DNA sequence: CGCGTTTACGTCGTTCGTAACGATA
DNA sequence: TATCGTTACGAACGACGTAAACGCG
């Protein structure tokens, strides 16, 4: 068995069982791939693919398992080359991140700008999706970092660092009744209006309904959308009161919208960053985390990355007070 | 980078940085090893070893990391060949187990006998040691299975299956005061005698002292030993009352010793079996677990081995009632 | 001078790409 | 007939082992 054989195997699979395509991807000849595959199958003494005539038709059950293991081998080999680049002080490589719309749109832009200024040779990849899609990407090692909020159940295989807390805000058109009300916002007053908020199943949204139910309220959710931009649009149209993450309220929204702090009405939510346990962290990755969470000292991030158990990580992070993130700093309501 | 280079690298390390020895171990020529190592270092662009003249003197820090990753690669390659053997239905291979004296001496013999009858071509290796030594062996992947009791803190990286429960018994010479006493044993009556028990730091022994302290008792521990055989000897000599695991009481001990059930006085202890999360489990390994824990259906063991999270494993095992293991079945006190 | 590594070199095996062939839809 | 995989073949490369040289203790 050689690394080349395993690489070829994975290339074939990732090319849809098309050996010719795999050959092109690898800048080599097609018969070479064929031969190596035969050799690998011969050595293992099993068919990794079912054949339909001469073409590969499907992966055998045994093949699936071998492919899974082969991917691990290649990942670790990647890790070794990654290590060597790191130890030579090269600041080249890639950083791929999977995250939600809220982070991608309201939090990451300035982080990424600062990052790519400091590391112009690092290729950045940003994937946006639902929690489930993010989990899929990080669990199959297609991305390096996952940044999400709330539920960690889908991400139990990761090392996870808390980044910051946030609360929800209520969003109304300027001049709306609620905007005039000087008293603190309550769930009861909110429940009197149709609500516009995120689609459920996203980060901790179950806590949204629970908060109302705990007070015996059953608010009407007029509309749900995947991201705050759309919610804002519908709030402007007067569809109802928007309930969004505090970070999603921008200063220029002040022109026609008013944010009302809803801290305390709903549970506080933590945004965290996770990465596979056995991944080699390049120094630019540590720096990215530091840019994203400046309140975490680089030393602690470095240690946390090495921590073997969640407990050891807890111990390291015990003292750190996470900031609560708001949106527009000029607006006292959102910056609470 | 090739697998050969990584294999050679590990062989060099495991031969004490002696390239000639590594060559012999690998049944190849010494210059070949040298050349491959040079090539690997060249490709990685770093020194993996410091040289003293021409000899290898030590591993560089960078080398340590590369070696660590290289071991992982080779492990996964092992896993692939393991898979292929398994899927071809071969019942050959090795099974190495690290465990404590109690298991090795009183529990495993009959399991191993049955196992090696059924799988004569599987090589068995049994390592005996303290919890710490067992943790070291399994965490460095030098053994396949760890079998131990009590604390799982040292073994957080493993998949763990509970095997059975056990309690402690008090052991006295035949004719001892306590043996005559018809009333149920209490901590108080125990504390009146010098005690002989396991050395602390072993499985859950901290709970031993705690049990007494909870009742404000401070027993005198006259003697501690690593295993029950030695404890029995000293109990026979009249050094004190022995406190040992129920399994360690054998029928032939009845000749001159008397076991008194101590269930309830100390916390019940669970013996479990653990193995590395990413290990390929050969079918004979599953069978070994089944022989060790016949009350766990093979189907459940198979599923448990595949479970990704501890929670999924809990769910599978939720219904299973573990037996409480005693020693000599003829003795009602020990077989409680 | 012995031990261990490196260098040098000839041999052998393997891989690679091109080209031709075969099978399938 | 177009697509895709296999077979065939010659050239080039690389690995291996033997033998000799080198450096260190």
């Amino acid at each position: 068995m050689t690394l080349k054989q395993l690489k070829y195997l994975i290339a074939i699979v990732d090319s849809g069982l098309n050996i010719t395509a795999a050959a092109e991807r690898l800048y080599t000849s097609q018969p070479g791939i064929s031969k190596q595959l035969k050799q690998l199958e011969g050595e293992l003494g099993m068919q990794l693919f079912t054949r339909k005539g001469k073409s590969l038709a499907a992966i055998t059950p045994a093949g699936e398992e071998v492919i899974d293991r082969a991917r691990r081998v290649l990942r670790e080999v990647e890790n070794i080359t990654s290590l060597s680049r790191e130890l030579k002080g090269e600041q080249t490589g890639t950083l791929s991140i999977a995250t939600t719309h809220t982070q991608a749109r309201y939090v990451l832009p300035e982080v990424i700008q600062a990052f790519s200024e400091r590391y112009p040779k690092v290729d950045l990849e940003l994937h946006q999706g639902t929690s489930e899609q993010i989990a899929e990407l990080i669990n199959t090692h297609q991305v390096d970092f996952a940044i999400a909020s709330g539920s960690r159940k889908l991400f139990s295989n990761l090392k996870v660092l808390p980044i910051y807390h946030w609360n929800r805000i209520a969003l109304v058109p300027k001049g709306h009744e609620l905007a005039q009300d000087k008293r603190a916002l309550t769930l009861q007053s909110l429940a009197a209006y149709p609500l516009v908020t995120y689609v459920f199943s996203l980060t901790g949204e179950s806590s949204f309904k629970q908060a109302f139910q705990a007070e015996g309220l059953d608010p009407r959710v007029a509309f749900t959308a995947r991201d705050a931009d759309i919610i804002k649009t519908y709030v402007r149209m007067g569809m109802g009161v928007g309930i969004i993450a505090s970070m999603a309220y921008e200063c220029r929204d002040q022109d026609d919208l008013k944010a009302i702090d809803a801290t305390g009405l709903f549970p506080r939510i933590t945004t965290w960053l996770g990465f596979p346990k056995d991944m080699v962290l390049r120094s630019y990755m540590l720096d990215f985390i530091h840019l994203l969470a400046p309140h975490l000292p680089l030393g602690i991030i470095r240690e946390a990355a090495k921590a073997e158990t969640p407990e050891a990580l807890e111990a390291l992070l015990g003292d750190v007070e996470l900031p609560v993130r708001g949106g527009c700093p000029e607006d006292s309501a959102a910056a609470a």
Side-chain angles (χ1 to χ4, degrees), chain A:
Chain A
M1 194 182 328
T2 66
L3 283 180
K4 196 181 320 194
Q5 289 166 356
L6 299 181
K7 271 179 199 153
Y8 285 7
L9 170 64
I10 298 305
I12 292 172
V13 173
D14 289 348
S15 303
L17 309 194
N18 182 325
I19 295 186
T20 307
E24 282 168 15
R25 169 189 301 214
L26 295 168
Y27 306 107
T28 184
S29 74
Q30 177 272 324
I33 310 264
S34 257
K35 197 166 184 183
Q36 292 297 324
L37 174 61
K38 269 210 155 45
Q39 215 159 315
L40 180 61
E41 286 186 323
E43 181 173 343
L44 296 180
M46 57 170 80
Q47 294 273 105
L48 298 175
F49 302 99
T50 57
R51 264 77 168 180
K52 199 171 177 178
K54 291 196 170 180
S55 298
L56 306 186
I59 304 173
T60 62
E64 292 283 4
E65 299 208 54
V66 171
I67 288 162
D68 181 54
R69 295 283 162 181
R71 284 193 199 278
R72 297 188 199 211
V73 173
L74 297 181
R75 264 210 302 280
E76 288 298 346
V77 171
E78 283 280 311
N79 278 338
I80 292 177
T81 63
S82 203
L83 261 177
S84 91
R85 268 200 279 276
E86 178 66 26
L87 293 164
K88 281 190 286 184
E90 292 182 13
Q91 296 186 337
T92 62
T94 65
L95 173 58
S96 48
I97 302 166
T99 188
T100 59
H101 175 268
T102 304
Q103 311 302 326
R105 169 75 178 73
Y106 299 106
V107 180
L108 292 184
E110 58 186 34
V111 176
I112 285 178
Q113 182 167 31
F115 179 85
S116 60
E117 270 173 27
R118 191 173 313 181
Y119 298 101
K121 289 185 177 173
V122 173
D123 296 329
L124 270 166
E125 277 179 37
L126 194 61
H127 299 255
Q128 184 195 319
T130 63
S131 293
E132 288 76 12
Q133 291 167 333
I134 296 170
E136 161 77 11
L137 285 168
I138 192 86
N139 288 334
T140 57
H141 293 78
Q142 292 180 65
V143 297
D144 303 311
F145 283 172
I147 305 176
S149 306
S151 153
R152 299 183 193 186
K153 285 170 199 161
L154 285 168
F155 303 89
S156 54
N157 295 321
L158 307 180
K159 282 189 190 169
V160 165
L161 288 172
I163 302 297
Y164 61 86
H165 301 302
W166 53 271
N167 287 290
R168 290 188 179 79
I169 58 168
L171 207 60
V172 293
K174 231 172 187 173
H176 188 278
E177 288 176 344
L178 279 177
Q180 319 300 333
D181 198 331
K182 295 296 178 202
R183 294 167 302 178
L185 190 65
T186 64
L187 287 175
Q188 209 154 13
S189 50
L190 267 182
Y193 301 92
L195 301 181
V196 186
T197 189
Y198 299 111
V199 282
F200 301 99
S201 101
L202 257 175
T203 66
E205 260 58 35
S206 58
S207 67
F208 178 84
K209 279 202 165 173
Q210 280 172 11
F212 284 102
Q213 283 171 354
E215 297 204 7
L217 299 168
D218 185 25
R220 192 170 79 83
V221 176
F223 185 82
T224 64
R226 182 144 297 170
D227 65 68
D229 286 332
I230 299 179
I231 294 175
K232 286 179 196 171
T233 304
Y234 285 83
V235 168
R236 289 193 178 94
M237 288 166 53
M239 289 276 293
V241 176
I243 310 284
I244 63 172
S246 50
M247 305 86 71
Y249 182 66
E250 296 179 301
C251 291
R252 58 194 177 118
D253 292 329
Q254 289 182 70
D255 294 347
D256 53 355
L257 293 175
K258 171 77 179 164
I260 308 169
D261 187 16
T263 301
L265 302 188
F266 305 99
R268 190 180 69 177
I269 295 183
T270 303
T271 290
W272 46 261
L273 179 147
F275 51 89
K277 280 194 177 121
D278 55 5
M279 194 175 77
V280 169
L281 282 181
R282 302 291 304 272
S283 62
Y284 61 76
M285 294 179 178
L286 295 173
D287 241 17
F288 179 91
I289 300 177
H290 186 59
L291 286 169
L292 178 64
H295 52 281
L296 292 180
L298 259 180
I300 285 205
I301 297 174
R302 202 178 301 276
E303 285 305 311
K306 283 186 197 159
E308 286 296 333
T309 63
E311 294 77 27
L313 208 146
E314 284 295 325
L316 275 169
L317 298 171
D319 307 329
V320 180
E321 186 72 23
L322 291 187
V324 178
R325 251 192 102 118
C328 173
E330 299 169 28
D331 189 310
S332 61

